[in-house]
Amino acid sequence: MVSLPTASNTKRRGFPRRRAASRRSPKKAQAQSRQNSRGKRRVRRSRAQARSPMQPRNAFQLGLLEQSKKKFDAPLLLITVMLLVVGLIALLSASYPKGYYSSEIGPFYYFIRQLGMAAVGLVLMWGVSCIDYTIYKRWAFILYFISFVMLVLVLTPLGTSLNNAQRWLFGFQPSEVAKLAIILLFSTMASARPESVRSVKGLLVYVALIGIYILLLAMEPHMSASMILIVIGFVILFVAGMHVWFLVPIGIGGVIIAVIAYFTLNHVQERINIFLNPFLDAKDTGYQSVQSLIAIGSGGAFGLGLGQSRQKFLYLPEPMNDFIFSVICEEMGFVGAALILVLFAYFVYRGFSIARRAADRFGCLLATGITMQFAFQILLNLAVVTGLFPVTGASLPLFSYGGTALVMQLVEIGILLNISRNIPPSKKE
């Protein structure tokens, strides 16, 4: 007797079980199908986003993304762009005659090169502003060593000599990198070990580090860069908590160094003598100072007009470099020059404001060093062009011609912007 397949023995004998007929209505089936298709689209979209190159792939990219979302000091960025634009216009006016009378480069040569370096500097400034400034603690000693190597190479046959000074390496000026290296190194050391700035033994380490740079710069020679480094280092150590009574031996040491430089370096002695009375040799060693004073006095209250300077027509040496402010005074007068000084003053104020409100000790010292570099270099250049200080070769930040200096200055401003991004909300203005 053959038994028919039933529900109980179907699985045992290998007969396929019949599926129960779907009891769902057609409308419910269509709704379920639409829901399944939506789910599949969501899965595909999420996978595509995961494969997208715009998504951060590591911790560094994630940090960049987070930093870029934070608010920065908008007034500092605005004043920087304003100074840069005014500086480019002043450079175009000051450099036009020198390029015009040169048959090889053309009247717009210096302006086009500076404009290109300004574009590069702005891109780097924005990129640096999105990098967390605390990462520079790891690179402070490396940058110091790299800068040291470049300063040594400048003194070799690889260096380029111009106007009795060997300061360039393949068109690059290592002294500009040295300024940032000292700022980063001193800020890192003083923030990591605050007690080091309060002992004589600790200060000797700082003196040795900066003394190596000063010795190399004196061999170029480049006295203005040496002075800037000394001021930057001193201000960072003072803000970090150096005892006030240490100023006495530092001041005595500074006087001794100045006296030694005066009697051992001929160019220093010559410049100081001409500084005391530039009209003693107005046609030779005092020529720069005399022509600068003539340009400033010719401007009067409101100036001769943009592009109407007379001293820039082969009278004033280097009108687009160290003495660009003399051309500004001649063309824009006392009023125009005063407005530019107001912009510089506000720039310095924003820098020190960021330092005061920084999130940590390292950020405070870093912002202080960068701002002090700009402040002292501005004052030094103005003192030179007005005859209040011997000619040293200090350029005017964001104005004077020089690609290395401009790019490095914009990079430093980018660091300031990043420090402003990380200011705690309680300290926001």
Side-chain angles (χ1 to χ4, degrees):
M1 181 176 179
V2 180
S3 61
L4 296 176
T6 60
S8 60
N9 60 12
T10 301
K11 183 176 181 180
R12 184 178 65 251
R13 295 189 180 185
F15 291 97
R17 297 184 63 181
R18 296 181 180 179
R19 293 183 180 180
S22 176
R23 298 181 180 179
R24 291 178 297 178
S25 63
K27 292 183 178 180
K28 291 184 178 180
Q30 293 177 1
Q32 183 66 29
S33 177
R34 285 194 298 268
Q35 186 175 0
N36 293 338
S37 61
R38 288 173 189 157
K40 293 178 180 179
R41 283 197 298 269
R42 292 194 193 99
V43 172
R44 288 195 297 267
R45 192 181 302 115
S46 62
R47 290 177 179 175
Q49 290 177 353
R51 293 191 300 265
S52 175
M54 299 301 293
Q55 296 295 321
R57 297 181 179 180
N58 51 47
F60 180 73
Q61 292 183 359
L62 183 60
L64 288 178
L65 184 61
E66 292 178 353
Q67 291 290 321
S68 63
K69 293 179 180 179
K70 297 180 180 179
K71 294 183 179 180
F72 55 86
D73 192 273
L76 177 64
L77 178 61
L78 177 62
I79 202 71
T80 299
V81 174
M82 291 177 62
L83 286 171
L84 186 60
V85 171
V86 175
L88 287 172
I89 295 174
L91 179 72
L92 174 62
S93 175
S95 64
Y96 187 90
K98 187 172 183 177
Y100 179 80
Y101 288 110
S102 176
S103 59
E104 299 177 356
I105 58 178
F108 299 104
Y109 172 80
Y110 297 103
F111 173 74
I112 293 176
R113 285 177 62 91
Q114 190 79 346
L115 182 63
M117 298 308 294
V120 173
L122 287 174
V123 173
L124 291 176
M125 179 188 71
W126 185 253
V128 170
S129 72
C130 297
I131 300 176
D132 190 356
Y133 67 91
T134 57
I135 198 175
Y136 302 123
K137 294 180 181 180
R138 312 173 192 172
W139 300 95
F141 285 95
I142 298 177
L143 183 62
Y144 179 87
F145 178 74
I146 294 175
S147 179
F148 168 77
V149 173
M150 289 192 296
L151 288 175
V152 172
L153 292 177
V154 168
L155 302 175
T156 66
L158 297 176
T160 304
S161 179
L162 181 65
N163 296 330
N164 299 323
Q166 192 163 336
R167 304 175 181 174
W168 292 267
L169 182 67
F170 305 115
F172 186 79
Q173 198 165 8
S175 60
E176 297 298 329
V177 182
K179 298 174 186 177
L180 180 58
I182 287 295
I183 294 173
L184 290 176
L185 184 60
F186 276 34
S187 301
T188 301
M189 294 174 60
S191 60
R193 296 183 58 193
E195 68 279 359
S196 63
V197 302
R198 300 186 182 93
S199 64
V200 177
K201 183 178 179 181
L203 286 177
L204 289 178
V205 177
Y206 293 98
V207 173
L209 290 172
I210 200 172
I212 295 173
Y213 275 8
I214 293 174
L215 179 62
L216 293 174
L217 290 172
M219 296 172 65
E220 293 184 2
H222 198 353
M223 295 307 297
S224 61
S226 301
M227 295 172 58
I228 294 172
L229 288 180
I230 292 174
V231 172
I232 291 173
F234 167 75
V235 171
I236 291 177
L237 296 179
F238 183 78
V239 174
M242 183 181 64
H243 293 300
V244 178
W245 67 268
F246 284 161
L247 297 178
V248 177
I250 291 177
I252 296 174
V255 172
I256 294 174
I257 292 175
V259 172
I260 294 174
Y262 178 80
F263 287 104
T264 57
L265 301 177
N266 294 330
H267 72 283
V268 174
Q269 184 175 2
E270 179 181 311
R271 290 184 178 185
I272 291 178
N273 293 335
I274 292 300
F275 156 71
L276 297 175
N277 191 354
F279 291 92
L280 289 176
D281 192 7
K283 293 184 179 181
D284 189 9
T285 54
Y287 184 78
Q288 285 182 312
S289 299
V290 170
Q291 296 301 320
S292 176
L293 293 175
I294 293 175
I296 295 174
S298 302
F302 300 100
L304 304 177
L306 186 62
Q308 301 302 314
S309 170
R310 295 187 291 264
Q311 293 299 111
K312 66 183 181 183
F313 284 92
L314 307 183
Y315 290 102
L316 183 64
E318 305 297 330
M320 67 285 190
N321 287 334
D322 303 343
F323 290 90
I324 190 172
F325 192 74
S326 302
V327 178
I328 293 174
C329 291
E330 186 178 10
E331 295 185 348
M332 304 178 66
F334 174 80
V335 175
L339 291 177
I340 292 177
L341 293 182
V342 170
L343 294 179
F344 274 124
Y346 187 69
F347 174 88
V348 174
Y349 165 75
R350 295 308 306 178
F352 282 127
S353 176
I354 292 173
R356 178 176 57 85
R357 297 176 290 123
D360 56 10
R361 183 182 180 87
F362 175 69
C364 174
L365 297 177
L366 184 57
T368 299
I370 293 174
T371 306
M372 194 62 210
Q373 175 191 331
F374 278 91
F376 181 73
Q377 193 164 331
I378 292 168
L379 292 176
L380 185 60
N381 178 268
L382 297 180
V384 168
V385 300
T386 55
L388 299 177
F389 198 82
V391 177
T392 60
S395 61
L396 186 62
L398 303 178
F399 275 71
S400 296
Y401 176 75
T404 306
L406 181 61
V407 171
M408 292 303 300
Q409 288 160 9
L410 291 175
V411 167
E412 292 173 351
I413 295 174
I415 296 176
L416 277 179
L417 290 174
N418 183 260
I419 296 175
S420 70
R421 290 181 187 269
N422 293 276
I423 293 176
S426 59
K427 295 184 179 181
K428 293 283 187 180
E429 291 183 347

